[in-house]
Amino acid sequence: MFYPAKYINRIIFVLLLTLVPVSSWSKEVDPFDTNRARLLGHMLQQQLSGKHYSQKPTDDALSEAAFDLYLKQLDFQKRFLWQEDADKLTLFKDQIDDSIRRGRLDLPLSGREILNQRITQVQELVTELLEEKIDPTVKESIETDPEKLNYVTDLQEQRERWRKIIKAQTLSDYIGLREDDIGVDDNGALLPVDDETAEKLLLQAKEKVGKRTNSRLKRMLEETPQDHYDRYLNVISHAFDPHTSYLPPTSKEDFDIQMSGSLEGIGATLREDDGYIKVVRVIPGSAAARQGQLEADDIILKVAEATADAVDITDTRIRDAVALIRGKKGTEVRLTIKKPDGRQQIVPIIRDVVEIKETFVKGTTVTDEKSGQRFGYIKIPSFYRDYSGKTDRNCTDDLREELQRQNKENISGLIIDLRNNGGGSLSDAVSVTGLFIKTGPVVQIRNGSGKIRVMSDDDPAVEYTGPMIVLVNRFSASASEILAGALQDYGRALIVGDEHTHGKGTVQALLDLDRFVNLRGMEKYMPLGAVKVTIQKFYRISGESTQEEGVSPDIVLPSRLDGLESGEKYLDNALPWDHIASAEYQHWQGAPENTADLKKSSADRIKQSEDFQEIISDAANAEKRRAETRQSLLLKDMLAERDQFRDELKRMPAHGMMNTDDDEKKELTLDEKIADDPYVEEGIFLLLDLISASS
């Protein structure tokens, strides 16, 4: 993600972390004040309707979109509300627009009252259920996809739902206890246990689930009217688009993060998503990146400090989840995560400072044994720029230096790797593009009123003129998409990778609401927080937006993420793809014209590649698991699933997807990291094809 320099603000919690105190935001907010709430709602509506890119009116359509989001965030997993509760709240569905203008607070306060009544009811049920014996040999299942569930209609139905929830969590914890307390063999298989030990572990697992569940329910009941109102304002913001949000004062402080110096934590950006805490991005050079198992789109279910009992963070406010995950350098946090395909695993991470060097451009050369030709490989983890002025280090200068070094080695072709690059500095997206073209436009930026600004490369110097491959995946976003799109439009490089990039083609600005308080006597209600609002949209020089659709590669390669609904197009209320007029630019002379032949050659190699066939098989298995949303509650089935997941994980290191235990004991060189990467290998084959076609 990135923003023009004057809008540089962090927009998602970054778990790194020394917070910077901001005096104007440090004042504690008083207990819930209805007059303050009315003022806040009015100001939010005013800022969103006036400054959002889409110019959406605050009308019934927006109200209905906001209500759907509100009901989902209130009880997305459908564990508390009854159908009659949802019906009662639905009466407000087309009234949010009128309520926020008139200062009415009926929906968030009614929603809180109804939810708390049901949570109290569930507390009693859980107490009863924890006294009952769990039979792991009974063949039954639980639906894990809330979209396929209906709200319960009576107490018996709710009791049965919670019985299965507790059983599922208990059996999962039982397997974890066997791993930790009994151990595994050299192949990772669970060591056997006798019946008496198994029974003790099962009771211990149920006690842990009970403690965790009761703690979570208690925490939910402690949420204040202000907490509920803040989330209500946030869903109204999200009804404009998924990147527009309301930040209460405490969250605003967390967004003011110092990005230089000592940065401690795990190194990931998170967001709340339908009651879950979801990973948006793993920061290059961070503890999580070095550990290797945490990835974008993972859901964090539980957090534990080293060997302590885990805390369930489902339905937890993001700032509370962040507080649990943060910690001092050298301490361990254990995250129980759920992968997009349904796999659950525990990820242990030693908190540490970000190794800034890991965020920098890195390059090496690879020699093709058959032809003897040498090829360059450059990894761009992010588009960084030190705005503090302390080092003046930036992505463009580092890339220029690496290109000059590789040119001295007489490379025949170049691979630029943008996989998992979530963006960064807009100016560097433009200047990096300029290293490969003479001069010309790079990106078009349109604001809500329709005014278009073109950012161009005006430097005629070209650092590298040979054939190029750019590797992308679903997590290549923002600045990465601008670079890949520009190089594709110029015909300067062949874009290769997943079927699409992430698709974030919007710019946000952070507006301090206190600055807009201009009525005398209203200062007593400050601080009011901030609103992060989408104000601009990016377009390629061809006129196509990068929003929602992202960049479609010239050659699509198989990915373990195939079939995964990951990217902007799958977010609620995402701004749509569209296009504007093309900018004036000249196609690169010598651009590849034999794309069809290149696709055929690549497809033939994929069929013969054991690595890619394995990736295809893993993707198919993952897709099958995503479709099979009913989880068996037969312990034998759960143990078999664990073994299947373990076998798949063993194969992943061969494709550079994850570190092994041995890898963690030493720092791998860039050459070692890409040695068995089939995407890099296919990139070299494609470069050879390009060279052959042009000779």
Side-chain angles (χ1 to χ4, degrees):
M1 298 177 203
F2 61 96
Y3 311 92
K6 72 175 185 175
Y7 294 122
I8 294 174
N9 290 287
R10 297 304 295 171
I11 64 164
I12 300 180
F13 283 97
V14 183
L15 309 183
L16 293 174
L17 281 175
T18 305
L19 294 186
V20 181
V22 182
S23 59
S24 63
W25 291 86
S26 60
K27 174 182 169 183
E28 287 292 329
V29 178
D30 293 330
F32 190 68
D33 183 322
T34 55
N35 288 328
R36 177 183 179 275
R38 292 188 179 101
L39 172 65
L40 186 52
H42 169 73
M43 293 191 65
L44 182 78
Q45 185 270 334
Q46 190 178 52
Q47 294 304 313
L48 291 177
S49 61
K51 294 188 171 63
H52 192 272
Y53 173 87
S54 68
Q55 306 285 302
K56 282 184 183 178
T58 309
D59 56 12
D60 286 354
L62 186 82
S63 179
E64 291 178 9
F67 178 81
D68 290 342
L69 293 174
Y70 174 78
L71 202 57
K72 286 171 70 175
Q73 67 84 29
L74 194 64
D75 182 23
F76 175 69
Q77 297 183 83
K78 298 174 183 169
R79 294 181 174 184
F80 300 101
L81 298 182
W82 291 19
Q83 185 60 55
E84 65 184 62
D85 302 329
D87 292 342
K88 188 181 298 183
L89 292 173
T90 301
L91 296 174
F92 296 100
K93 186 165 188 173
D94 61 355
Q95 298 177 19
I96 291 178
D97 56 324
D98 299 320
S99 295
I100 197 168
R101 277 194 293 263
R102 296 171 184 170
R104 297 185 63 88
L105 313 175
D106 299 345
L107 177 55
L109 297 183
S110 296
R112 176 179 182 266
E113 182 181 2
I114 290 171
L115 181 63
N116 283 356
Q117 289 174 354
R118 295 306 185 191
I119 293 172
T120 302
Q121 195 172 58
V122 166
Q123 281 181 318
E124 297 175 3
L125 288 177
V126 167
T127 299
E128 295 174 11
L129 291 167
L130 289 171
E131 295 297 321
E132 296 181 2
K133 182 179 177 62
I134 291 177
D135 188 345
T137 65
V138 173
K139 188 174 180 60
E140 57 183 341
S141 63
I142 184 173
E143 179 57 64
T144 61
D145 183 357
E147 300 285 355
K148 296 180 181 178
L149 288 173
N150 296 317
Y151 291 105
V152 300
T153 56
D154 56 38
L155 190 60
Q156 182 56 37
E157 193 176 350
Q158 189 166 53
R159 189 182 196 281
E160 179 64 6
R161 184 162 294 180
W162 274 92
R163 182 189 69 81
K164 289 186 175 182
I165 290 169
I166 289 173
K167 181 177 181 180
Q169 293 181 356
T170 299
L171 295 181
S172 178
D173 276 23
Y174 164 81
I175 294 173
L177 285 172
R178 278 189 59 178
E179 289 179 342
D180 294 339
D181 296 357
I182 308 302
V184 297
D185 63 20
D186 292 340
N187 294 317
L190 292 172
L191 295 175
V193 293
D194 56 41
D195 292 344
E196 182 180 356
T197 302
E199 185 66 26
K200 287 181 179 178
L201 290 176
L202 196 62
L203 286 173
Q204 188 178 343
K206 187 167 70 170
E207 288 174 2
K208 291 181 67 174
V209 169
K211 180 179 178 182
R212 195 167 62 236
T213 302
N214 284 321
S215 175
R216 174 188 162 208
L217 296 176
K218 181 175 180 290
R219 194 169 63 241
M220 292 178 71
L221 285 173
E222 289 172 348
E223 292 193 339
T224 66
Q226 188 64 52
D227 291 329
H228 279 261
Y229 187 63
D230 289 345
R231 286 208 293 272
Y232 169 68
L233 295 180
N234 198 38
V235 297
I236 292 173
S237 304
H238 283 333
F240 282 81
D241 86 294
H243 302 290
T244 294
S245 58
Y246 167 66
L247 282 65
T250 51
S251 297
K252 168 63 171 61
E253 287 188 11
D254 282 331
F255 276 62
D256 291 316
I257 293 170
Q258 179 70 25
M259 291 305 293
S260 62
S262 178
L263 309 175
E264 296 185 9
I266 68 167
T269 58
L270 307 178
R271 65 180 168 90
E272 288 184 56
D273 186 12
D274 296 331
Y276 291 115
I277 302 298
K278 181 173 282 190
V279 178
V280 177
R281 182 187 177 213
V282 175
I283 307 300
S286 67
R290 295 197 296 276
Q291 196 276 346
Q293 293 178 307
L294 192 69
E295 298 174 300
D297 277 357
D298 287 348
I299 290 171
I300 302 177
L301 301 175
K302 291 179 280 188
V303 180
E305 191 71 27
T307 58
D309 288 342
V311 176
D312 187 336
I313 62 170
T314 307
D315 292 318
T316 296
R317 295 170 298 183
I318 193 166
R319 70 170 181 263
D320 294 332
V322 167
L324 291 169
I325 297 171
R326 286 176 179 161
K328 293 182 179 180
K329 175 183 177 181
T331 59
E332 182 183 68
V333 61
R334 297 170 70 84
L335 307 179
T336 301
I337 65 169
K338 182 178 181 180
K339 291 288 183 181
D341 61 6
R343 289 181 290 121
Q344 288 191 26
Q345 66 186 97
I346 295 176
V347 177
I349 301 174
I350 304 298
R351 300 179 179 102
D352 201 354
V353 297
V354 170
E355 290 188 3
I356 300 298
K357 65 178 182 179
E358 291 299 315
T359 71
F360 295 153
V361 166
K362 295 181 288 292
T364 187
T365 55
V366 180
T367 301
D368 175 56
E369 295 181 0
K370 186 175 181 180
S371 67
Q373 296 186 83
R374 182 170 294 177
F375 298 98
Y377 168 87
I378 299 178
K379 174 70 175 176
I380 306 179
S382 67
F383 290 85
Y384 52 88
R385 178 166 288 270
D386 180 8
Y387 288 97
S388 70
K390 293 179 180 178
T391 66
D392 290 329
R393 186 157 188 176
N394 61 80
C395 176
T396 306
D397 289 343
D398 287 351
L399 180 58
R400 180 185 291 108
E401 184 178 332
E402 179 60 26
L403 288 171
Q404 291 171 352
R405 186 190 69 80
Q406 293 193 7
N407 279 329
K408 292 177 181 177
E409 296 191 39
N410 297 317
I411 58 172
S412 300
L414 175 66
I415 296 174
I416 297 289
D417 193 345
L418 298 179
R419 291 176 295 174
N420 301 321
N421 183 325
S425 163
L426 173 60
S427 62
D428 281 279
V430 175
S431 54
V432 163
T433 305
L435 298 179
F436 303 105
I437 63 172
K438 291 183 179 179
T439 58
V442 175
V443 63
Q444 303 185 83
I445 306 172
R446 184 184 187 275
N447 65 19
S449 63
K451 185 177 180 180
I452 297 171
R453 177 167 63 99
V454 179
M455 295 186 70
S456 302
D457 165 53
D458 299 321
D459 185 351
V462 180
E463 294 297 336
Y464 175 74
T465 59
M468 288 175 60
I469 298 292
V470 176
L471 296 178
V472 296
N473 66 5
R474 282 168 174 77
F475 304 125
S476 304
S478 294
S480 294
E481 294 172 294
I482 286 177
L483 173 60
L487 294 177
Q488 186 178 57
D489 289 340
Y490 276 105
R492 180 64 189 89
L494 203 65
I495 312 303
V496 178
D498 285 11
E499 58 186 355
H500 62 82
T501 57
H502 188 78
K504 185 181 183 298
T506 56
V507 183
Q508 285 72 42
L510 194 65
L511 307 178
D512 183 342
L513 291 177
D514 288 356
R515 295 175 54 194
F516 301 97
V517 175
N518 51 21
L519 296 176
R520 183 174 297 177
M522 295 296 103
E523 297 86 355
K524 63 185 178 182
Y525 298 123
M526 294 164 57
L528 294 172
V531 58
K532 176 169 66 72
V533 58
T534 296
I535 59 168
Q536 294 173 330
K537 200 171 180 181
F538 291 120
Y539 293 85
R540 294 166 58 162
I541 56 175
S542 62
E544 297 181 353
S545 174
T546 57
Q547 170 62 19
E548 194 176 49
E549 297 297 328
V551 176
S552 298
D554 300 295
I555 295 180
V556 176
L557 298 181
S559 167
R560 283 193 173 87
L561 303 175
D562 283 343
L564 175 64
E565 294 184 351
S566 174
E568 187 83 6
K569 67 174 71 176
Y570 300 108
L571 299 179
D572 289 326
N573 305 313
L575 293 184
W577 176 94
D578 63 348
H579 63 88
I580 59 175
S582 170
E584 293 186 9
Y585 64 99
Q586 293 185 342
H587 216 58
W588 179 263
Q589 290 186 353
E593 299 178 356
N594 58 336
T595 305
D597 293 339
L598 293 171
K599 287 181 179 178
K600 183 179 184 306
S601 297
S602 180
D604 290 342
R605 284 190 295 269
I606 298 304
K607 290 178 183 178
Q608 302 300 318
S609 168
E610 292 184 6
D611 287 341
F612 276 116
Q613 290 307 307
E614 202 170 85
I615 289 171
I616 292 171
S617 176
D618 287 346
N621 289 337
E623 178 69 14
K624 183 179 179 182
R625 280 197 296 270
R626 285 192 292 270
E628 294 173 352
T629 57
R630 294 203 69 87
Q631 177 188 337
S632 172
L633 296 181
L634 187 64
L635 180 58
K636 182 175 66 174
D637 291 344
M638 294 179 71
L639 290 170
E641 266 192 6
R642 176 197 175 274
D643 291 340
Q644 180 184 351
F645 295 157
R646 185 191 77 238
D647 292 342
E648 289 184 12
L649 283 174
K650 283 181 179 178
R651 296 198 299 269
M652 288 185 180
H655 307 302
M657 299 287 287
M658 193 173 295
N659 293 331
T660 64
D661 291 339
D662 288 338
D663 292 339
E664 293 176 4
K665 296 175 183 177
K666 65 173 184 175
E667 184 175 347
L668 297 180
T669 65
L670 185 59
D671 293 297
E672 290 172 325
K673 288 178 180 178
I674 68 172
D676 297 316
D677 189 327
Y679 299 94
V680 175
E681 182 180 40
E682 178 58 21
I684 291 172
F685 284 136
L686 286 167
L687 285 172
L688 287 167
D689 289 344
L690 285 170
I691 294 168
S692 176
S694 62
S695 60

